[in-house]
Amino acid sequence: MARFNNRKKKVFVKPIVKKQQKKQPNVDHITGNKIPKSFVFSRGKLPGPLRQLQMDLRKLMLPYTALKLKEKRRNNLKDFLNVAGPMGVTHFLILSKTETSPFLRVSKTPQGPTLTFKIYGYSLAVDIAQSQLRPRCPQDLFKNSPLIVLSGFAAGDEHLKLTTTMFKNIFPDIDINTVKLSSCQRIVLLNYNKDTKLIDFRHYSIRLQPVGVSRRIRKFVQNHQVPDLRNLQDVSDFVTKAGYGSESEADEEAATVTLISDLSRVNRASTKSAVKLQEIGPRMTLQLIKIEGGLCSGEVMFSEYGNGGNKEKPGSRDGNEREDSENDNKMEDSDEDNEAEDNEEDTEESEEDNEED
């Protein structure tokens, strides 16, 4: 009699291999310079609008930032600094809030300096999009770093020079001889007003439109859709019919450039295209109030309220200095509170373990 093999056959299960994310380079392969990376986080409790501003700043700093950086109340500044080294993070953007106003600190890791800005006003990216008739935010808009433009910082003051250097180094360098026009899709503008000593912080998207081409023709070429000609007597009516609308100002000579390479099906090399900027947010109004030599500590290199040459109302200087020191103390207190909370949690866990024993 034939013997039957009742052994169960082993079923081969293919292991699931998770796709590893590509590590971002630390050095630009074209310029050879180190690529700056950043962490955007907060110290202390923030209200809802400032939390959203923090997310908008993270999105602005893409792609060389941690968009989904998770913060815990027990984390202090040393924790972020310990993680920044292995990940190649070069800058910190720290948001905080006092009883009077919010603050933004821009720090160079690991040893400073630190620039402290008082936020006089801000608008979120959502608010700016809602105020526009046609908000524009393509999916590939944040694949490349934005360009940085500084205006009004030409004064010979040392604190303005340091501010210029800090913001220049917070974004990657570009080589005008090798840069691709398709990668230049965003721009960050900082305009300094020497009379008010305020900095206007703006974030725009860049798009090009061919000069002398109607909106109908441009849409036809871009979308590859058959136009609706039912109400027209001839094809020439579709071409000659006015379709510029509010975009006619794009034909101004000062706002046009000649492309050196093909950018899209509509914007071709050696043709004139109009440069249009559309604000995408966030928007902030900042004032530089202090520069410290270290990482959120160290020698005070500049203080807006400590210069003897500033003309201020009696009592205003003491109030501003008190507000600035309050911001410093709040950051320190937040670290101490987090450590105290951790100790309380540890003691509670130990008491529970003893009760179980």
Side-chain angles (χ1 to χ4, degrees):
M1 296 179 61
R3 300 181 62 183
F4 296 95
N5 189 3
N6 295 327
R7 293 181 182 179
K8 294 182 179 179
K9 295 183 178 179
K10 293 182 179 180
V11 180
F12 176 74
V13 179
K14 186 178 181 180
I16 301 175
V17 180
K18 295 183 179 180
K19 294 182 179 180
Q20 296 181 354
Q21 296 181 353
K22 294 182 179 180
K23 293 184 178 180
Q24 293 181 341
N26 293 327
V27 179
D28 192 343
H29 66 282
I30 297 177
T31 61
N33 300 329
K34 185 177 180 180
I35 298 177
K37 300 180 180 180
S38 61
F39 275 168
V40 182
F41 57 94
S42 62
R43 305 304 300 143
K45 294 182 179 179
L46 293 182
L50 280 178
R51 283 288 180 186
Q52 186 59 43
L53 178 62
Q54 175 179 306
M55 293 303 300
D56 290 346
L57 287 175
R58 289 182 181 179
K59 203 170 182 180
L60 181 146
M61 300 300 296
L62 286 175
Y64 299 109
T65 191
L67 181 61
K68 298 181 180 180
L69 179 65
K70 294 183 179 180
E71 306 174 52
K72 295 182 179 179
R73 298 184 65 181
R74 66 182 64 182
N75 293 135
N76 53 29
L77 194 59
K78 291 182 180 178
D79 296 335
F80 291 100
L81 191 59
N82 292 334
V83 178
M87 297 185 65
V89 175
T90 58
H91 292 83
F92 285 167
L93 278 75
I94 309 172
L95 283 169
S96 59
K97 176 73 168 62
T98 63
E99 295 180 356
T100 55
S101 60
F103 290 84
L104 173 65
R105 296 192 178 197
V106 182
S107 304
K108 177 73 172 66
T109 61
Q111 298 178 350
T114 301
L115 279 64
T116 303
F117 297 93
K118 182 178 180 180
I119 303 177
Y120 273 84
Y122 64 92
S123 297
L124 303 177
V126 177
D127 301 330
I128 294 175
Q130 290 178 351
S131 64
Q132 296 174 350
L133 182 61
R134 295 186 182 90
R136 177 180 179 271
C137 189
Q139 295 181 354
D140 59 344
L141 189 62
F142 298 94
K143 286 185 177 181
N144 299 284
S145 298
L147 307 177
I148 178 73
V149 176
L150 302 172
S151 175
F153 291 89
D157 298 334
E158 291 297 328
H159 65 280
L160 293 180
K161 291 182 179 179
L162 186 56
T163 304
T164 303
T165 304
M166 177 69 78
F167 279 106
K168 279 184 178 180
N169 294 333
I170 208 171
F171 297 105
D173 297 332
I174 61 170
D175 187 357
I176 59 175
N177 297 321
T178 58
V179 65
K180 295 182 179 179
L181 294 179
S182 58
S183 64
C184 303
Q185 296 190 12
R186 293 185 293 138
I187 183 171
V188 174
L189 173 63
L190 278 80
N191 181 41
Y192 176 73
N193 190 331
K194 63 180 181 180
D195 297 329
T196 61
K197 296 183 179 180
L198 297 179
I199 301 174
D200 295 325
F201 186 99
R202 300 290 186 269
H203 184 209
Y204 299 94
S205 66
I206 305 174
R207 60 192 178 109
L208 299 177
Q209 292 182 355
V211 176
V213 180
S214 66
R215 185 176 182 180
R216 288 173 172 267
I217 299 299
R218 189 172 66 251
K219 291 289 184 180
F220 171 69
V221 176
Q222 290 177 343
N223 300 335
H224 306 280
Q225 294 179 354
V226 179
D228 187 4
L229 306 176
R230 289 177 296 178
N231 298 327
L232 302 179
Q233 296 181 355
D234 190 66
V235 179
S236 60
D237 295 340
F238 176 79
V239 179
T240 58
K241 188 174 181 180
Y244 289 95
S246 61
E247 299 176 359
S248 58
E249 72 271 10
D251 293 340
E252 297 179 1
E253 189 66 26
T256 60
V257 294
T258 302
L259 301 180
I260 60 175
S261 61
D262 294 342
L263 189 62
S264 63
R265 291 175 57 88
V266 180
N267 298 289
R268 295 290 186 176
S270 302
T271 60
K272 284 189 176 183
S273 297
V275 181
K276 302 196 70 175
L277 302 180
Q278 185 170 353
E279 188 172 5
I280 56 178
R283 176 195 302 178
M284 292 186 293
T285 302
L286 309 173
Q287 182 188 16
L288 178 64
I289 60 174
K290 187 171 63 173
I291 298 179
E292 297 169 290
L295 184 66
C296 299
S297 62
E299 178 187 0
V300 178
M301 305 170 62
F302 167 79
S303 178
E304 178 64 26
Y305 311 127
N307 294 341
N310 292 341
K311 297 181 181 180
E312 299 176 357
K313 295 180 181 180
S316 62
R317 175 178 170 182
D318 296 336
N320 292 329
E321 287 180 349
R322 192 182 304 111
E323 181 183 4
D324 189 18
S325 61
E326 181 184 348
N327 184 36
D328 295 338
N329 295 333
K330 189 166 184 179
M331 290 187 65
E332 295 175 358
D333 293 341
S334 63
D335 293 341
E336 294 176 357
D337 294 341
N338 294 336
E339 293 177 359
E341 290 176 0
D342 295 340
N343 295 332
E344 291 178 0
E345 292 177 358
D346 295 339
T347 54
E348 291 176 358
E349 291 177 358
S350 61
E351 290 176 358
E352 293 176 357
D353 295 338
N354 294 331
E355 291 177 358
E356 291 178 358
D357 295 340

